Amino acid sequence: MSSVVVVGTQWGDEGKGKIVDILTEYADVIVRFQGGNNAGHTLVVDGNKFIFHLIPSGILYEDKLCLIGNGVVLDPAAFIDELEDLGKKGRTVSQKRLRLSQNTHLIMPYHQALDHAREAAKSKGKKIGTTGKGIGPCYEDKMARQGIRAADLLDQALFREKLEENVREKNFLLTKLLNAGSLDVDAIYDQYMRYTERLSGFIDDVSAVIDSARKEGKNILFEGAQGTQLDIDHGTYPFVTSSNTMAGGACSGAGIGPSKIDAVVGICKAYTTRVGAGPFPTELNDCIGARLQERGVEFGATTGRKRRCGWLDGVVLKDAVRINGLDYLAITKLDVLSGVNPVKVCTSYDVRGRRRHTMPANIKEIQDATPNYRDYAGWGEDLSGLRSMHTLPTAARDYIKAIEDMAEVPVMLVSVGPSRNETLLLENPFKRA
């Protein structure tokens, strides 16, 4: 048996969904351990596109068990919508194949209202670029010990008590501080009781389910959302998400001890992208950036917003190696760089007269950072039809080797297109243990 964690090494959108989908073939259990429906995984399977925001992408395999951990914040409406969308595509999900942690915190209408109202109240330079899904306010309530969890849905009196306390406080903030409308507690109660009819059968003790799976010798795959530079503690704060996106979050977000993790895979796009506001030292506001955006179809799976594009940032990558303890790298969208010459990689920053090899903590220093680049020869060949490393152009192989050398981590997979079969799997992390 083996337990493998998959994380993003950049600002999210690295293509984790496809890599998780590929590794799921070797796993028995797939666990989502943090984030909410502010992130999305896009998969192309047999020509059909699937976008997942909450349900682990391993659900497309009929013989896999998918789990949503306690580290996730869940919007019941979004969860139900995903279930129904899968059903419409002939992928009906039974309660035997999908479980929801009883400790998962629920996103409530007042979380979304606060999210929108706060962002609207900020001046242009202070906006975070939140999706408005209520993720941050839900995590706030969790830390303030006033959140509502999935298990609370099963006790109507307890749910009502918690709901009334929260609505009273949130209505005060919305109306008195943020000049927004108030919410009706009865309407929310009735709405969530209807959700309970659909959700109750999925609620389980996910930590115990994972423990049982390990004792039965099953392979377990843990998938996160977003990327390392969006981590609430280690990212480009305050332009981050509200959870721990790093590999350590898999332990707290699923209920498993760190000694039970056997390997960590970091997903690294062959260039760098970022959605929303925040500093981006290697961003390209030129024809090359536009080319990457167009060829890479760089639109957010959740928001549809254009992703900002830039050269691969080695400072960001090496930070991810250290913070996550990466054992392997998976390189995605290598094909998008075809026709770009030279290909540049940022090796360090110059910040106010000082050379930096790690991401500064001061957000102003990150904004002032000037990247130092190393050039690599590009290639013009179409990579999408290639299925082995030795058939890649020499320049493409040299680029992969340069990434390995910089990160000091071996590459175990290279993606040369969006489909499952457009992938070069060099090593299986589940065979590491």
Side-chain angles (χ1 to χ4, degrees):
M1 66 178 177
S2 190
S3 294
V4 174
V5 179
V6 172
V7 294
T9 62
Q10 298 155 314
W11 279 283
D13 309 307
E14 300 94 351
K16 295 181 294 297
K18 176 185 174 180
I19 308 310
V20 168
D21 178 58
I22 290 168
L23 295 180
T24 293
E25 179 180 345
Y26 309 99
D28 303 294
V29 181
I30 302 88
V31 187
R32 168 78 181 274
F33 63 82
Q34 53 78 220
N37 60 315
N38 57 335
H41 288 171
T42 302
L43 303 179
V44 179
V45 180
D46 298 328
N48 295 315
K49 181 184 286 189
F50 295 87
I51 299 178
F52 297 99
H53 301 285
L54 290 166
I55 298 175
S57 46
I59 203 69
L60 296 179
Y61 288 81
E62 297 292 334
D63 59 340
K64 313 296 181 180
L65 174 61
C66 292
L67 307 174
I68 297 176
N70 57 275
V72 173
V73 289
L74 184 128
D75 180 341
F79 178 71
I80 292 169
D81 284 346
E82 282 192 38
L83 288 174
E84 292 180 350
D85 186 58
L86 281 165
K88 291 175 183 177
K89 294 177 180 178
R91 306 270 185 161
T92 301
V93 178
S94 72
Q95 295 168 0
K96 291 182 179 180
R97 294 182 53 220
L98 178 63
R99 310 283 177 80
L100 168 64
S101 173
Q102 58 191 2
N103 295 329
T104 298
H105 281 251
L106 301 179
I107 295 174
M108 307 297 292
Y110 46 77
H111 293 137
Q112 296 162 340
L114 285 169
D115 211 352
H116 284 290
R118 286 172 177 170
E119 190 77 349
K122 293 175 182 174
S123 60
K124 186 176 180 181
K126 299 292 185 180
K127 293 183 185 294
I128 300 297
T130 174
T131 59
K133 305 287 186 181
I135 310 298
C138 185
Y139 277 116
E140 288 176 30
D141 275 359
K142 177 179 181 177
M143 294 305 167
R145 299 180 296 278
Q146 60 190 37
I148 296 177
R149 303 192 296 180
D152 297 332
L153 291 173
L154 308 181
D155 185 328
Q156 293 185 12
L158 177 60
F159 176 80
R160 179 80 190 202
E161 177 185 338
K162 286 190 170 185
L163 179 64
E164 289 179 350
E165 291 174 356
N166 274 284
V167 171
R168 186 181 307 115
E169 177 189 278
K170 271 53 173 194
N171 275 345
F172 179 84
L173 292 173
L174 287 166
T175 59
K176 303 299 183 183
L177 178 64
L178 298 169
N179 296 317
S182 62
L183 298 171
D184 181 71
V185 68
D186 291 325
I188 297 174
Y189 177 81
D190 291 342
Q191 179 185 23
Y192 275 68
M193 287 301 99
R194 290 194 297 272
Y195 291 154
T196 303
E197 296 175 9
R198 187 71 190 275
L199 293 180
S200 59
F202 293 99
I203 298 172
D204 204 344
D205 186 341
V206 161
S207 176
V209 173
I210 294 171
D211 187 58
S212 295
R214 280 192 54 82
K215 290 175 179 177
E216 293 169 8
K218 296 184 182 298
N219 285 338
I220 305 172
L221 180 63
F222 296 85
E223 64 167 314
Q226 289 99 17
T228 302
Q229 286 298 332
L230 291 178
D231 185 272
I232 186 67
D233 289 306
H234 301 283
T236 48
Y237 190 90
F239 298 94
V240 293
T241 193
S242 300
S243 59
N244 287 115
T245 61
M246 54 186 282
C251 298
S252 59
I256 182 174
S259 64
K260 307 304 181 185
I261 302 299
D262 300 299
V264 182
V265 177
I267 314 303
C268 176
K269 194 178 288 186
Y271 48 100
T272 309
T273 60
R274 178 165 196 167
V275 170
F280 184 179
T282 65
E283 183 172 10
L284 293 170
N285 295 304
D286 58 13
C287 60
I288 297 177
R291 176 191 175 98
L292 295 176
Q293 197 281 326
E294 181 180 358
R295 291 203 62 197
V297 194
E298 295 295 355
F299 296 91
T302 298
T303 63
R305 292 179 294 182
K306 280 187 177 182
R307 296 176 185 142
R308 301 152 62 193
C309 297
W311 296 118
L312 180 64
D313 192 327
V315 175
V316 166
L317 178 57
K318 287 184 284 187
D319 272 4
V321 171
R322 182 186 72 254
I323 292 167
N324 294 290
L326 297 184
D327 297 295
Y328 299 101
L329 284 176
I331 307 299
T332 60
K333 294 199 172 183
L334 184 67
D335 53 299
V336 175
L337 290 176
S338 291
V340 177
N341 192 16
V343 177
K344 296 178 181 287
V345 175
C346 170
T347 56
S348 63
Y349 302 149
D350 283 338
V351 183
R352 301 176 182 177
R354 180 184 174 194
R355 184 64 52 91
R356 297 294 299 265
H357 295 277
T358 61
M359 184 66 75
N362 185 321
I363 197 68
K364 297 294 186 182
E365 290 187 355
I366 305 174
Q367 292 168 339
D368 292 343
T370 300
N372 298 304
Y373 290 110
R374 179 172 179 180
D375 291 1
Y376 295 89
W379 58 92
E381 296 90 335
D382 179 7
L383 307 185
S384 60
L386 305 182
R387 296 295 177 267
S388 63
M389 281 292 290
H390 76 271
T391 61
L392 288 177
T394 300
R397 294 201 303 272
D398 289 344
Y399 184 62
I400 294 169
K401 182 63 166 56
I403 295 173
E404 282 187 318
D405 291 344
M406 179 173 58
E408 299 182 313
V409 174
V411 171
M412 49 75 63
L413 181 150
V414 178
S415 173
V416 293
S419 297
R420 276 178 179 171
N421 64 342
E422 294 175 317
T423 308
L424 287 58
L425 182 62
L426 311 179
E427 188 170 350
N428 182 351
F430 282 105
K431 295 182 179 179
R432 180 175 189 263

mmCIF file of all heavy atoms in Angstrom, residues 194-232:
data_model
loop_
_atom_site.group_PDB
_atom_site.id
_atom_site.type_symbol
_atom_site.label_atom_id
_atom_site.label_comp_id
_atom_site.label_asym_id
_atom_site.label_seq_id
_atom_site.Cartn_x
_atom_site.Cartn_y
_atom_site.Cartn_z
ATOM 1 N N ARG A 194 -33.788 21.022 3.293
ATOM 2 C CA ARG A 194 -33.983 20.340 2.000
ATOM 3 C C ARG A 194 -32.669 19.740 1.516
ATOM 4 O O ARG A 194 -32.650 18.623 0.975
ATOM 5 C CB ARG A 194 -34.544 21.313 0.965
ATOM 6 C CG ARG A 194 -35.997 21.735 1.215
ATOM 7 C CD ARG A 194 -36.595 22.417 -0.010
ATOM 8 N NE ARG A 194 -35.899 23.661 -0.355
ATOM 9 C CZ ARG A 194 -36.204 24.841 0.146
ATOM 10 N NH1 ARG A 194 -37.200 24.963 1.028
ATOM 11 N NH2 ARG A 194 -35.538 25.926 -0.229
ATOM 12 N N TYR A 195 -31.585 20.462 1.722
ATOM 13 C CA TYR A 195 -30.278 19.917 1.350
ATOM 14 C C TYR A 195 -29.965 18.652 2.143
ATOM 15 O O TYR A 195 -29.358 17.703 1.631
ATOM 16 C CB TYR A 195 -29.177 20.949 1.626
ATOM 17 C CG TYR A 195 -29.183 22.173 0.746
ATOM 18 C CD1 TYR A 195 -28.635 23.370 1.202
ATOM 19 C CD2 TYR A 195 -29.720 22.140 -0.543
ATOM 20 C CE1 TYR A 195 -28.616 24.509 0.404
ATOM 21 C CE2 TYR A 195 -29.713 23.268 -1.340
ATOM 22 C CZ TYR A 195 -29.164 24.446 -0.864
ATOM 23 O OH TYR A 195 -29.150 25.572 -1.654
ATOM 24 N N THR A 196 -30.382 18.630 3.411
ATOM 25 C CA THR A 196 -30.078 17.488 4.283
ATOM 26 C C THR A 196 -30.656 16.192 3.727
ATOM 27 O O THR A 196 -30.038 15.128 3.851
ATOM 28 C CB THR A 196 -30.623 17.745 5.703
ATOM 29 O OG1 THR A 196 -30.059 18.957 6.210
ATOM 30 C CG2 THR A 196 -30.278 16.606 6.640
ATOM 31 N N GLU A 197 -31.812 16.283 3.106
ATOM 32 C CA GLU A 197 -32.431 15.092 2.519
ATOM 33 C C GLU A 197 -31.522 14.452 1.479
ATOM 34 O O GLU A 197 -31.509 13.229 1.334
ATOM 35 C CB GLU A 197 -33.780 15.470 1.890
ATOM 36 C CG GLU A 197 -34.823 15.963 2.891
ATOM 37 C CD GLU A 197 -36.095 16.444 2.209
ATOM 38 O OE1 GLU A 197 -36.230 16.229 0.981
ATOM 39 O OE2 GLU A 197 -36.958 17.047 2.886
ATOM 40 N N ARG A 198 -30.762 15.274 0.776
ATOM 41 C CA ARG A 198 -29.863 14.753 -0.253
ATOM 42 C C ARG A 198 -28.482 14.403 0.295
ATOM 43 O O ARG A 198 -27.823 13.477 -0.184
ATOM 44 C CB ARG A 198 -29.717 15.791 -1.374
ATOM 45 C CG ARG A 198 -28.943 15.293 -2.591
ATOM 46 C CD ARG A 198 -29.747 14.278 -3.380
ATOM 47 N NE ARG A 198 -28.950 13.635 -4.399
ATOM 48 C CZ ARG A 198 -28.748 14.129 -5.622
ATOM 49 N NH1 ARG A 198 -29.302 15.283 -5.960
ATOM 50 N NH2 ARG A 198 -28.022 13.473 -6.499
ATOM 51 N N LEU A 199 -28.046 15.103 1.318
ATOM 52 C CA LEU A 199 -26.677 14.956 1.799
ATOM 53 C C LEU A 199 -26.487 13.902 2.878
ATOM 54 O O LEU A 199 -25.402 13.336 3.009
ATOM 55 C CB LEU A 199 -26.183 16.300 2.371
ATOM 56 C CG LEU A 199 -25.989 17.473 1.410
ATOM 57 C CD1 LEU A 199 -25.505 18.682 2.175
ATOM 58 C CD2 LEU A 199 -24.997 17.106 0.328
ATOM 59 N N SER A 200 -27.513 13.634 3.662
ATOM 60 C CA SER A 200 -27.346 12.835 4.887
ATOM 61 C C SER A 200 -26.687 11.486 4.637
ATOM 62 O O SER A 200 -25.861 11.033 5.445
ATOM 63 C CB SER A 200 -28.694 12.653 5.587
ATOM 64 O OG SER A 200 -29.622 11.997 4.736
ATOM 65 N N GLY A 201 -27.021 10.842 3.546
ATOM 66 C CA GLY A 201 -26.464 9.521 3.277
ATOM 67 C C GLY A 201 -24.990 9.520 2.932
ATOM 68 O O GLY A 201 -24.331 8.471 2.994
ATOM 69 N N PHE A 202 -24.442 10.688 2.585
ATOM 70 C CA PHE A 202 -23.018 10.782 2.228
ATOM 71 C C PHE A 202 -22.145 11.078 3.435
ATOM 72 O O PHE A 202 -20.930 10.889 3.381
ATOM 73 C CB PHE A 202 -22.807 11.889 1.188
ATOM 74 C CG PHE A 202 -23.419 11.609 -0.162
ATOM 75 C CD1 PHE A 202 -24.645 12.155 -0.511
ATOM 76 C CD2 PHE A 202 -22.768 10.794 -1.078
ATOM 77 C CE1 PHE A 202 -25.211 11.906 -1.747
ATOM 78 C CE2 PHE A 202 -23.331 10.541 -2.326
ATOM 79 C CZ PHE A 202 -24.553 11.090 -2.663
ATOM 80 N N ILE A 203 -22.728 11.558 4.536
ATOM 81 C CA ILE A 203 -21.953 12.006 5.686
ATOM 82 C C ILE A 203 -21.391 10.817 6.460
ATOM 83 O O ILE A 203 -22.114 9.873 6.793
ATOM 84 C CB ILE A 203 -22.822 12.893 6.607
ATOM 85 C CG1 ILE A 203 -23.272 14.139 5.839
ATOM 86 C CG2 ILE A 203 -22.050 13.290 7.857
ATOM 87 C CD1 ILE A 203 -24.286 14.989 6.591
ATOM 88 N N ASP A 204 -20.079 10.857 6.759
ATOM 89 C CA ASP A 204 -19.410 9.726 7.393
ATOM 90 C C ASP A 204 -18.187 10.231 8.157
ATOM 91 O O ASP A 204 -17.809 11.400 8.060
ATOM 92 C CB ASP A 204 -18.988 8.711 6.313
ATOM 93 C CG ASP A 204 -18.834 7.299 6.853
ATOM 94 O OD1 ASP A 204 -18.760 7.138 8.092
ATOM 95 O OD2 ASP A 204 -18.779 6.355 6.049
ATOM 96 N N ASP A 205 -17.560 9.325 8.910
ATOM 97 C CA ASP A 205 -16.304 9.629 9.603
ATOM 98 C C ASP A 205 -15.163 9.315 8.636
ATOM 99 O O ASP A 205 -14.660 8.190 8.580
ATOM 100 C CB ASP A 205 -16.184 8.784 10.879
ATOM 101 C CG ASP A 205 -14.964 9.161 11.716
ATOM 102 O OD1 ASP A 205 -14.044 9.788 11.171
ATOM 103 O OD2 ASP A 205 -14.942 8.816 12.916
ATOM 104 N N VAL A 206 -14.779 10.303 7.858
ATOM 105 C CA VAL A 206 -13.810 10.086 6.783
ATOM 106 C C VAL A 206 -12.442 9.683 7.315
ATOM 107 O O VAL A 206 -11.762 8.841 6.718
ATOM 108 C CB VAL A 206 -13.724 11.354 5.897
ATOM 109 C CG1 VAL A 206 -12.443 11.376 5.075
ATOM 110 C CG2 VAL A 206 -14.930 11.419 4.977
ATOM 111 N N SER A 207 -12.010 10.246 8.430
ATOM 112 C CA SER A 207 -10.720 9.859 9.011
ATOM 113 C C SER A 207 -10.682 8.364 9.309
ATOM 114 O O SER A 207 -9.696 7.673 9.021
ATOM 115 C CB SER A 207 -10.457 10.653 10.289
ATOM 116 O OG SER A 207 -9.264 10.226 10.921
ATOM 117 N N ALA A 208 -11.767 7.847 9.863
ATOM 118 C CA ALA A 208 -11.838 6.415 10.166
ATOM 119 C C ALA A 208 -11.886 5.581 8.889
ATOM 120 O O ALA A 208 -11.307 4.485 8.837
ATOM 121 C CB ALA A 208 -13.068 6.131 11.030
ATOM 122 N N VAL A 209 -12.561 6.084 7.861
ATOM 123 C CA VAL A 209 -12.620 5.371 6.581
ATOM 124 C C VAL A 209 -11.220 5.259 5.981
ATOM 125 O O VAL A 209 -10.825 4.203 5.468
ATOM 126 C CB VAL A 209 -13.572 6.092 5.604
ATOM 127 C CG1 VAL A 209 -13.499 5.454 4.211
ATOM 128 C CG2 VAL A 209 -15.003 6.040 6.118
ATOM 129 N N ILE A 210 -10.440 6.350 6.055
ATOM 130 C CA ILE A 210 -9.067 6.333 5.542
ATOM 131 C C ILE A 210 -8.217 5.337 6.317
ATOM 132 O O ILE A 210 -7.435 4.569 5.745
ATOM 133 C CB ILE A 210 -8.454 7.747 5.620
ATOM 134 C CG1 ILE A 210 -9.181 8.701 4.664
ATOM 135 C CG2 ILE A 210 -6.966 7.711 5.290
ATOM 136 C CD1 ILE A 210 -8.780 10.150 4.826
ATOM 137 N N ASP A 211 -8.361 5.337 7.633
ATOM 138 C CA ASP A 211 -7.587 4.417 8.467
ATOM 139 C C ASP A 211 -7.900 2.964 8.128
ATOM 140 O O ASP A 211 -6.992 2.129 8.014
ATOM 141 C CB ASP A 211 -7.883 4.693 9.940
ATOM 142 C CG ASP A 211 -6.989 3.898 10.877
ATOM 143 O OD1 ASP A 211 -5.757 4.046 10.780
ATOM 144 O OD2 ASP A 211 -7.528 3.121 11.689
ATOM 145 N N SER A 212 -9.163 2.681 7.929
ATOM 146 C CA SER A 212 -9.559 1.314 7.559
ATOM 147 C C SER A 212 -8.973 0.925 6.211
ATOM 148 O O SER A 212 -8.513 -0.210 6.018
ATOM 149 C CB SER A 212 -11.081 1.193 7.520
ATOM 150 O OG SER A 212 -11.641 1.386 8.797
ATOM 151 N N ALA A 213 -8.984 1.875 5.272
ATOM 152 C CA ALA A 213 -8.439 1.596 3.940
ATOM 153 C C ALA A 213 -6.955 1.286 4.018
ATOM 154 O O ALA A 213 -6.464 0.370 3.337
ATOM 155 C CB ALA A 213 -8.692 2.780 3.017
ATOM 156 N N ARG A 214 -6.230 2.024 4.829
ATOM 157 C CA ARG A 214 -4.791 1.748 4.985
ATOM 158 C C ARG A 214 -4.558 0.365 5.571
ATOM 159 O O ARG A 214 -3.677 -0.373 5.122
ATOM 160 C CB ARG A 214 -4.148 2.807 5.890
ATOM 161 C CG ARG A 214 -3.825 4.118 5.189
ATOM 162 C CD ARG A 214 -2.926 4.984 6.061
ATOM 163 N NE ARG A 214 -1.728 4.274 6.495
ATOM 164 C CZ ARG A 214 -0.624 4.136 5.750
ATOM 165 N NH1 ARG A 214 -0.595 4.633 4.532
ATOM 166 N NH2 ARG A 214 0.415 3.490 6.231
ATOM 167 N N LYS A 215 -5.344 0.010 6.586
ATOM 168 C CA LYS A 215 -5.166 -1.303 7.215
ATOM 169 C C LYS A 215 -5.518 -2.441 6.268
ATOM 170 O O LYS A 215 -5.044 -3.563 6.440
ATOM 171 C CB LYS A 215 -6.018 -1.375 8.484
ATOM 172 C CG LYS A 215 -5.494 -0.469 9.603
ATOM 173 C CD LYS A 215 -6.405 -0.459 10.822
ATOM 174 C CE LYS A 215 -5.836 0.420 11.921
ATOM 175 N NZ LYS A 215 -6.731 0.523 13.104
ATOM 176 N N GLU A 216 -6.349 -2.137 5.275
ATOM 177 C CA GLU A 216 -6.706 -3.139 4.273
ATOM 178 C C GLU A 216 -5.702 -3.181 3.116
ATOM 179 O O GLU A 216 -5.874 -3.944 2.157
ATOM 180 C CB GLU A 216 -8.104 -2.841 3.717
ATOM 181 C CG GLU A 216 -9.215 -3.027 4.741
ATOM 182 C CD GLU A 216 -10.544 -2.481 4.248
ATOM 183 O OE1 GLU A 216 -10.634 -2.094 3.058
ATOM 184 O OE2 GLU A 216 -11.499 -2.431 5.054
ATOM 185 N N GLY A 217 -4.646 -2.349 3.208
ATOM 186 C CA GLY A 217 -3.606 -2.364 2.190
ATOM 187 C C GLY A 217 -3.948 -1.615 0.918
ATOM 188 O O GLY A 217 -3.378 -1.880 -0.144
ATOM 189 N N LYS A 218 -4.828 -0.648 0.997
ATOM 190 C CA LYS A 218 -5.248 0.088 -0.192
ATOM 191 C C LYS A 218 -4.336 1.298 -0.453
ATOM 192 O O LYS A 218 -3.802 1.898 0.469
ATOM 193 C CB LYS A 218 -6.699 0.550 -0.044
ATOM 194 C CG LYS A 218 -7.694 -0.608 0.057
ATOM 195 C CD LYS A 218 -9.118 -0.108 0.096
ATOM 196 C CE LYS A 218 -10.119 -1.261 0.235
ATOM 197 N NZ LYS A 218 -10.049 -2.191 -0.913
ATOM 198 N N ASN A 219 -4.201 1.653 -1.731
ATOM 199 C CA ASN A 219 -3.475 2.856 -2.127
ATOM 200 C C ASN A 219 -4.402 4.060 -2.005
ATOM 201 O O ASN A 219 -5.548 4.020 -2.463
ATOM 202 C CB ASN A 219 -2.980 2.753 -3.573
ATOM 203 C CG ASN A 219 -1.787 1.822 -3.702
ATOM 204 O OD1 ASN A 219 -1.075 1.562 -2.744
ATOM 205 N ND2 ASN A 219 -1.567 1.322 -4.904
ATOM 206 N N ILE A 220 -3.888 5.149 -1.417
ATOM 207 C CA ILE A 220 -4.706 6.334 -1.169
ATOM 208 C C ILE A 220 -4.052 7.553 -1.821
ATOM 209 O O ILE A 220 -2.847 7.791 -1.648
ATOM 210 C CB ILE A 220 -4.884 6.575 0.341
ATOM 211 C CG1 ILE A 220 -5.456 5.319 1.015
ATOM 212 C CG2 ILE A 220 -5.800 7.775 0.591
ATOM 213 C CD1 ILE A 220 -5.497 5.391 2.525
ATOM 214 N N LEU A 221 -4.828 8.303 -2.547
ATOM 215 C CA LEU A 221 -4.357 9.495 -3.228
ATOM 216 C C LEU A 221 -5.042 10.721 -2.630
ATOM 217 O O LEU A 221 -6.271 10.788 -2.585
ATOM 218 C CB LEU A 221 -4.664 9.400 -4.730
ATOM 219 C CG LEU A 221 -4.243 10.570 -5.617
ATOM 220 C CD1 LEU A 221 -2.731 10.739 -5.607
ATOM 221 C CD2 LEU A 221 -4.744 10.341 -7.041
ATOM 222 N N PHE A 222 -4.252 11.682 -2.162
ATOM 223 C CA PHE A 222 -4.778 12.909 -1.567
ATOM 224 C C PHE A 222 -4.599 14.058 -2.557
ATOM 225 O O PHE A 222 -3.476 14.309 -3.010
ATOM 226 C CB PHE A 222 -4.037 13.232 -0.268
ATOM 227 C CG PHE A 222 -4.218 12.211 0.816
ATOM 228 C CD1 PHE A 222 -3.403 11.084 0.869
ATOM 229 C CD2 PHE A 222 -5.206 12.358 1.778
ATOM 230 C CE1 PHE A 222 -3.560 10.132 1.861
ATOM 231 C CE2 PHE A 222 -5.372 11.409 2.786
ATOM 232 C CZ PHE A 222 -4.550 10.288 2.816
ATOM 233 N N GLU A 223 -5.681 14.751 -2.880
ATOM 234 C CA GLU A 223 -5.590 15.865 -3.829
ATOM 235 C C GLU A 223 -5.978 17.178 -3.163
ATOM 236 O O GLU A 223 -6.958 17.264 -2.434
ATOM 237 C CB GLU A 223 -6.467 15.621 -5.054
ATOM 238 C CG GLU A 223 -7.956 15.548 -4.803
ATOM 239 C CD GLU A 223 -8.755 15.611 -6.092
ATOM 240 O OE1 GLU A 223 -8.469 16.465 -6.941
ATOM 241 O OE2 GLU A 223 -9.683 14.792 -6.242
ATOM 242 N N GLY A 224 -5.157 18.199 -3.430
ATOM 243 C CA GLY A 224 -5.458 19.520 -2.918
ATOM 244 C C GLY A 224 -5.955 20.432 -4.021
ATOM 245 O O GLY A 224 -5.979 20.073 -5.193
ATOM 246 N N ALA A 225 -6.362 21.623 -3.639
ATOM 247 C CA ALA A 225 -6.796 22.636 -4.595
ATOM 248 C C ALA A 225 -5.822 23.813 -4.528
ATOM 249 O O ALA A 225 -4.993 23.903 -3.629
ATOM 250 C CB ALA A 225 -8.215 23.100 -4.269
ATOM 251 N N GLN A 226 -5.915 24.702 -5.502
ATOM 252 C CA GLN A 226 -5.033 25.869 -5.583
ATOM 253 C C GLN A 226 -3.550 25.446 -5.662
ATOM 254 O O GLN A 226 -3.234 24.363 -6.136
ATOM 255 C CB GLN A 226 -5.286 26.836 -4.426
ATOM 256 C CG GLN A 226 -6.595 27.577 -4.525
ATOM 257 C CD GLN A 226 -7.702 26.986 -3.680
ATOM 258 O OE1 GLN A 226 -7.498 26.208 -2.775
ATOM 259 N NE2 GLN A 226 -8.928 27.370 -3.993
ATOM 260 N N GLY A 227 -2.639 26.280 -5.182
ATOM 261 C CA GLY A 227 -1.218 25.983 -5.263
ATOM 262 C C GLY A 227 -0.479 26.542 -4.070
ATOM 263 O O GLY A 227 -1.031 27.290 -3.239
ATOM 264 N N THR A 228 0.813 26.215 -3.960
ATOM 265 C CA THR A 228 1.610 26.542 -2.786
ATOM 266 C C THR A 228 1.653 28.042 -2.501
ATOM 267 O O THR A 228 1.576 28.469 -1.344
ATOM 268 C CB THR A 228 3.041 26.009 -2.949
ATOM 269 O OG1 THR A 228 2.990 24.588 -3.164
ATOM 270 C CG2 THR A 228 3.887 26.287 -1.726
ATOM 271 N N GLN A 229 1.754 28.876 -3.548
ATOM 272 C CA GLN A 229 1.841 30.320 -3.325
ATOM 273 C C GLN A 229 0.498 30.948 -2.950
ATOM 274 O O GLN A 229 0.413 32.152 -2.731
ATOM 275 C CB GLN A 229 2.433 31.013 -4.545
ATOM 276 C CG GLN A 229 3.930 30.812 -4.701
ATOM 277 C CD GLN A 229 4.739 31.381 -3.543
ATOM 278 O OE1 GLN A 229 4.321 32.333 -2.883
ATOM 279 N NE2 GLN A 229 5.890 30.789 -3.287
ATOM 280 N N LEU A 230 -0.555 30.119 -2.871
ATOM 281 C CA LEU A 230 -1.846 30.588 -2.357
ATOM 282 C C LEU A 230 -2.102 30.071 -0.943
ATOM 283 O O LEU A 230 -3.183 30.271 -0.392
ATOM 284 C CB LEU A 230 -2.988 30.153 -3.291
ATOM 285 C CG LEU A 230 -3.012 30.840 -4.658
ATOM 286 C CD1 LEU A 230 -4.154 30.295 -5.511
ATOM 287 C CD2 LEU A 230 -3.139 32.349 -4.517
ATOM 288 N N ASP A 231 -1.114 29.412 -0.349
ATOM 289 C CA ASP A 231 -1.248 28.916 1.019
ATOM 290 C C ASP A 231 -1.413 30.081 1.987
ATOM 291 O O ASP A 231 -0.729 31.108 1.876
ATOM 292 C CB ASP A 231 -0.001 28.096 1.386
ATOM 293 C CG ASP A 231 -0.116 27.438 2.745
ATOM 294 O OD1 ASP A 231 0.256 28.087 3.756
ATOM 295 O OD2 ASP A 231 -0.575 26.288 2.809
ATOM 296 N N ILE A 232 -2.317 29.934 2.950
ATOM 297 C CA ILE A 232 -2.633 31.018 3.877
ATOM 298 C C ILE A 232 -1.420 31.421 4.716
ATOM 299 O O ILE A 232 -1.280 32.590 5.106
ATOM 300 C CB ILE A 232 -3.824 30.624 4.805
ATOM 301 C CG1 ILE A 232 -4.271 31.815 5.679
ATOM 302 C CG2 ILE A 232 -3.475 29.414 5.653
ATOM 303 C CD1 ILE A 232 -4.882 32.941 4.908
#
